[in-house]
Amino acid sequence: MSKAKEIKKIPIEEVIEYFRSEGMELTKEEAELIMEFLYNLTLMVIKKYFDTDQK
């Protein structure tokens, strides 16, 4: 039986500050889209490589 995957979400303000420190300015909406993409990508990788129900 597979447990629900839960990933700690990083606060959007922290994401914006990180990108700002790297020289990129993001709006809140852009940061939310980036984090949604990364969250979904992370779930796909976990499911593909670490989900024992699929092996």
Side-chain angles (χ1 to χ4, degrees):
M1 183 186 302
S2 178
K3 290 183 178 180
K5 309 293 189 269
E6 191 171 322
I7 300 170
K8 178 183 167 194
K9 296 201 176 184
I10 300 170
I12 293 300
E13 296 77 22
E14 195 173 315
V15 174
I16 292 170
E17 186 55 40
Y18 172 78
F19 277 93
R20 184 176 293 130
S21 74
E22 294 294 321
M24 289 183 66
E25 292 294 324
L26 296 178
T27 65
K28 183 177 179 182
E29 292 78 20
E30 290 169 331
E32 288 171 345
L33 286 172
I34 289 169
M35 292 311 295
E36 182 179 345
F37 169 75
L38 292 175
Y39 179 78
N40 288 329
L41 182 62
T42 302
L43 288 178
M44 287 188 286
V45 169
I46 289 171
K47 185 174 182 175
K48 178 160 180 74
Y49 294 104
F50 300 102
D51 192 350
T52 57
D53 289 347
Q54 290 190 353
K55 294 185 179 187

